[in-house]
C-alpha cells in the first residue's frame, strides 16, 4: 500500500506539473512566436510562473526545515533533560526477596540494610542506597489524604508516586533537599513497625499541587491504615518518565521493607564492570537468591529514547533532501530562464551592457522570488508549528533559534543554486548569441 501510494503520487505530480506548460503551449500565438523567432525571450506570464515556482520551492523547503528543526531540538532537549539527576556511573540492581524466607517487613528491612552496607564497601563504589522505585524502570503510586482537611471518600482520594528509600537515597542521586532535612537512621526506625507517627519527604511537584506551592513542612499525610506521617523535607523534582512528561507529585518514605527492591550504586568505574562483585555480595547474604540483573541508569535512558531517535533522524534526512531538491529546482528554473533569454542578453551586451550589469540583473530577478519564498515559508512554518505543539518538548512552537537556523540554511545554500545561471549569463558572447538566433 505504501509503494502504491508513492507511485500514485508520483504519477499525479507528473500530470499536474505537466498541465501548466501544456496549457501555455496550447494558448501560444503564432504571430508572437514568429516575432520572437522562437527564442527571443520568455513571455511575462511565463516569467511570472517561473518566479512563482521558485518561490513555492523555497517556501516548502523552509517549512520542512522549520518543522524538522523543532522536532530535532525537542529531541535534544529530551536528551538533556534526562531524568533530572546525574545518570552517569549509576548501577541499578533488581532484588527479589522470596516471601517464604522473608515473610515480614522486619526481615526484609534487615536484609536491605546489610546489603547496602556490604555494597558500599565494594571497590569502585562511591556510595550505595536502596529504593523501591526508579525513573524509567519501576514506578508505584498510592492514594493518601492530608490531615486536617475534609476526608474524601475512598474513590476520590488523591494519589501520588511513592517510593520507600534508605537514608542515602537523595545524596546518591544528587537531589538537593530544598527545605527541611533528609532522612536519618532514626527516621527509618521511627517508620518501622507500623505504629506511631512516621516521617516522609515530598517533592516540589507535590507541594505545588497539594499545598499550592506553600511550605509543606510540618503537615501530615495519612497513608496506609490512616497512619500519620509528618513531612520533614522538601526535595528537588526528578522526571519519573524522563523528558517525555513533567515531574510527578511524589512522596518518599524512610525505610525499605518491600519484597521487591532496587540496589542503587554510584560507582567510580563503569557499572557493568562490577556485575560479578555485586552478585557475589547478594549471594553472600542469601545463596538461594535468583541471579540479579545489573543494569545502568543510562541503559534505561537509552531504551526510553530508542523509539524517538530513528524518527528524528529520518526527519533530519528528509528535511535535508527537501532543501537539496528545492535548490536543484531553483537552479533548474533559473538556468532555463537564462537559456530562454540568450538573445535578449546578447542584445543588451551589444548595446553596451557589462557582464557585471547582466549578472546583477539575473541575480536580482532570482533573489526576488527567493525573498518571497522565505516570507511565505516563514508564515507556513508558524502555522505548522501550531500543529506540532503537542509533539514539542521544552521548545516553544515559535522558537526563534530554530526559525533563524532554517532561514540561514536556505539563505546560505541559495547562492549555490543561483551562481551557475548568473555565471553563464555573464559569459554570453553577444555576437555568438545573435548569430545563433
Amino acid at each position: 500500500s505504501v509503494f502504491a501510494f508513492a507511485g500514485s503520487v508520483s504519477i499525479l505530480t507528473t500530470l499536474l506539473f505537466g498541465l501548466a506548460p501544456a496549457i501555455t503551449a496550447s494558448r501560444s500565438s503564432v504571430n508572437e512566436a514568429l516575432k520572437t523567432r522562437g527564442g527571443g525571450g520568455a513571455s511575462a506570464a511565463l516569467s511570472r510562473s517561473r518566479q512563482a515556482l521558485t518561490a513555492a520551492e523555497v517556501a516548502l523547503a523552509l517549512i520542512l526545515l522549520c518543522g524538522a528543526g523543532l522536532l530535532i531540538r525537542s529531541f535534544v532537549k529530551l536528551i538533556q533533560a534526562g531524568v533530572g539527576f546525574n545518570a552517569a556511573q549509576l548501577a541499578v540492581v533488581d532484588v527479589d526477596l522470596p516471601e517464604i524466607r522473608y515473610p515480614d517487613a522486619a526481615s526484609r528491612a534487615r536484609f536491605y540494610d546489610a546489603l547496602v552496607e556490604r555494597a558500599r564497601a565494594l571497590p569502585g563504589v562511591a556510595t550505595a542506597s536502596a529504593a523501591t522505585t526508579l525513573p524509567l524502570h519501576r514506578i508505584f503510586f498510592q492514594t493518601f489524604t492530608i490531615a486536617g482537611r475534609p476526608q474524601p471518600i475512598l474513590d476520590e482520594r488523591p494519589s501520588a508516586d511513592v517510593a520507600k528509600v534508605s537514608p542515602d537515597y537523595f545524596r546518591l542521586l544528587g537531589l538537593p533537599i530544598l527545605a527541611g532535612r533528609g532522612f536519618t537512621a532514626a527516621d527509618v526506625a521511627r517508620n518501622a513497625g507500623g505504629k506511631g507517627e512516621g516521617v516522609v519527604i515530598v517533592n516540589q511537584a507535590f507541594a505545588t499541587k497539594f499545598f499550592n506551592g506553600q511550605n509543606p513542612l510540618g503537615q501530615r499525610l495519612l497513608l496506609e491504615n490512616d497512619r500519620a506521617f509528618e513531612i520533614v523535607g522538601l526535595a528537588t523534582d526528578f522526571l519519573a518518565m524522563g523528558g517525555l512528561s513533567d515531574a510527578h507529585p511524589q512522596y518518599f518514605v524512610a525505610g525499605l521493607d518491600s519484597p521487591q527492591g532496587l540496589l542503587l550504586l554510584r560507582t567510580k568505574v563503569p557499572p557493568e564492570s562490577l556485575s560479578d562483585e555485586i552478585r557475589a555480595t547478594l549471594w553472600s547474604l542469601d545463596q538461594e537468591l535468583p541471579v540479579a540483573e545489573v543494569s545502568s541508569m543510562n541503559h534505561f535512558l537509552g531504551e526510553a529514547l530508542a523509539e524517538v531517535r530513528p524518527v528524528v533522524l529520518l526527519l533530519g534526512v528528509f528535511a535535508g533532501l527537501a532543501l537539496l531538491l528545492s535548490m536543484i529546482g531553483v537552479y533548474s528554473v533559473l538556468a532555463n530562464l537564462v537559456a530562454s533569454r540568450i538573445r535578449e542578453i546578447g542584445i543588451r551586451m551589444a548595446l553596451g551592457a557589462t557582464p557585471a550589469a547582466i549578472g546583477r540583473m539575473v541575480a536580482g530577478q532570482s533573489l526576488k522570488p527567493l525573498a518571497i519564498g522565505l516570507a511565505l515559508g516563514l508564515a507556513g512554518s508558524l502555522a505548522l508549528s501550531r500543529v506540532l505543539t503537542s509533539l514539542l518538548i521544552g521548545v516553544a512552537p515559535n522558537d526563534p533559534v530554530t526559525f533563524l537556523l532554517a532561514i540561514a540554511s536556505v539563505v546560505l545554500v541559495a547562492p549555490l543554486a543561483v551562481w551557475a545561471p548568473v555565471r553563464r549569463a555573464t559569459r554570453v558572447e553577444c555576437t555568438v548569441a545573435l548569430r545563433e538566433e
Side-chain angles (χ1 to χ4, degrees), residues 76-385:
V76 172
K77 292 286 186 180
L78 180 63
I79 295 176
Q80 293 175 343
V83 286
F85 55 80
N86 183 16
Q89 307 292 87
L90 181 59
V92 182
V93 186
D94 288 271
V95 179
D96 191 357
L97 300 180
E99 294 191 27
I100 295 177
R101 295 198 304 279
Y102 301 91
D104 52 43
S107 62
R108 295 189 290 266
R110 287 193 297 270
F111 177 89
Y112 287 116
D113 289 342
L115 177 61
V116 169
E117 288 300 321
R118 294 195 184 188
R120 190 179 289 127
L122 288 175
V125 173
T127 185
S129 183
T132 52
T133 68
L134 187 71
L136 299 177
H137 181 45
R138 185 185 296 166
I139 300 173
F140 298 125
F141 68 92
Q142 184 173 309
T143 60
F144 65 93
T145 56
I146 299 175
R149 296 184 182 180
Q151 301 301 303
I153 60 175
L154 185 62
D155 292 341
E156 295 180 358
R157 287 188 173 187
S159 64
D161 291 357
V162 57
K164 294 183 177 182
V165 301
S166 59
D168 286 339
Y169 176 81
F170 297 99
R171 184 168 66 89
L172 180 139
L173 295 184
L175 295 173
I177 300 297
L178 303 176
R181 61 177 179 83
F183 288 138
T184 64
D187 294 325
V188 175
R190 180 177 172 182
N191 285 354
K195 297 180 180 179
E197 186 175 88
V199 295
V200 295
I201 292 175
V202 300
N203 66 353
Q204 285 179 294
F206 189 99
T208 299
K209 182 173 182 179
F210 299 110
F211 294 98
N212 296 320
Q214 298 177 355
N215 188 355
L217 298 183
Q219 300 287 340
R220 287 166 174 75
L221 304 182
L222 303 180
L223 304 181
E224 301 174 5
N225 301 320
D226 287 335
R227 182 186 176 190
F229 285 76
E230 180 187 1
I231 299 175
V232 297
L234 177 65
T236 306
D237 290 336
F238 59 66
L239 304 175
M241 298 299 294
L244 294 173
S245 65
D246 297 329
H248 292 184
Q250 182 163 6
Y251 62 90
F252 305 88
V253 181
L256 181 59
D257 56 9
S258 304
Q260 290 184 324
L262 300 169
L263 174 64
L264 307 178
L265 305 173
R266 181 70 69 182
T267 64
K268 305 173 185 177
V269 296
E272 294 80 3
S273 65
L274 297 175
S275 297
D276 293 339
E277 291 83 349
I278 293 171
R279 294 190 181 101
T281 300
L282 279 168
W283 289 330
S284 69
L285 292 171
D286 188 339
Q287 295 182 353
E288 297 184 19
L289 286 179
V291 176
E293 181 178 355
V294 181
S295 306
S296 67
M297 190 66 233
N298 284 330
H299 168 75
F300 299 118
L301 277 172
E303 285 187 337
L305 299 175
E307 296 182 1
V308 184
R309 186 179 287 109
V311 176
V312 176
L313 178 61
L314 284 177
L315 284 171
V317 171
F318 290 155
L321 289 175
L323 178 61
L324 176 63
L325 292 175
S326 67
M327 292 302 107
I328 292 175
V330 170
Y331 162 77
S332 302
V333 171
L334 294 178
N336 183 264
L337 177 63
V338 170
S340 68
R341 299 179 65 179
I342 290 293
R343 182 168 180 266
E344 175 194 343
I345 293 172
I347 293 174
R348 287 179 180 272
M349 297 187 75
L351 293 176
T354 63
I358 296 297
R360 285 194 297 271
M361 178 191 72
V362 176
Q365 291 175 345
S366 61
L367 291 177
K368 180 179 178 181
L370 286 174
I372 295 174
L374 287 174
L376 293 176
L378 183 59
S381 300
L382 289 171
L384 175 66
S385 65

